[in-house]
Amino acid sequence: MKPPVKAYAERIKKLRKLKNLTQRQLADRLGVDNTTISKWEAGIYEPNSDLLNQLAEIFETTVDDILGRKITLSSTTTEEKEFFFYETEDVQFIARSKKDMTPEDFKHLMELAKKAKEMFDDED
């Protein structure tokens, strides 16, 4: 039986594909060999902290997101909760998936996200 793939491996592959990058293109941007990317995505090697930070910049996300860590909101401020809500993977995916999104489209997306957040906040 194969061991389960590590969370970071799946996330790197998914985020790379969302950015429409090949393993070679990502490797070139990071200054590593493309086999390194392949080994990360297979869960054989884990990127070091410097490379994780570079990946987070390239993918426009956080190191915690790449590593599959969940953020606990119980100890965060209201402002941090707002940031985390609007920076969720789903909201980011929608915003990035529409390449020709106008400022008006983005405003509508954020209004929809705010309404959804209000609905969930009412349940607490």
Side-chain angles (χ1 to χ4, degrees), residues 52-110:
L52 279 169
N53 285 319
Q54 288 180 51
L55 285 168
E57 280 186 40
I58 291 167
F59 296 146
E60 299 176 57
T61 191
T62 64
V63 170
D64 284 335
D65 180 42
I66 293 169
L67 294 176
R69 295 181 186 152
K70 299 293 178 197
I71 299 167
T72 58
L73 296 180
S74 60
S75 63
T76 58
T77 67
T78 302
E79 294 81 21
E80 288 171 322
K81 287 180 184 177
E82 287 282 319
F83 173 78
F84 291 134
F85 178 79
Y86 291 114
E87 289 297 311
T88 61
E89 184 178 322
D90 293 333
V91 173
Q92 288 182 14
F93 174 77
I94 293 167
R96 289 190 190 121
S97 65
K98 189 164 191 267
K99 304 266 188 249
D100 59 346
M101 183 176 282
T102 65
E104 177 113 350
D105 290 339
F106 185 75
K107 182 181 174 190
H108 287 2
L109 173 64
M110 295 315 292

Side-chain angles (χ1 to χ4, degrees), residues 7-16 61 65-66 68 89:
Y8 71 85
E10 292 174 349
R11 293 291 302 143
I12 291 171
K13 185 174 186 175
K14 180 179 177 181
L15 292 165
R16 176 181 59 78
T61 191
D65 180 42
I66 293 169
E89 184 178 322

Side-chain angles (χ1 to χ4, degrees), residues 4-5 13 20 39-40 45 67 72 94 99 105 113 122 124:
V5 177
K13 185 174 186 175
N20 294 315
K39 289 176 182 176
W40 291 346
Y45 293 148
L67 294 176
T72 58
I94 293 167
K99 304 266 188 249
D105 290 339
D122 288 344
D124 290 344

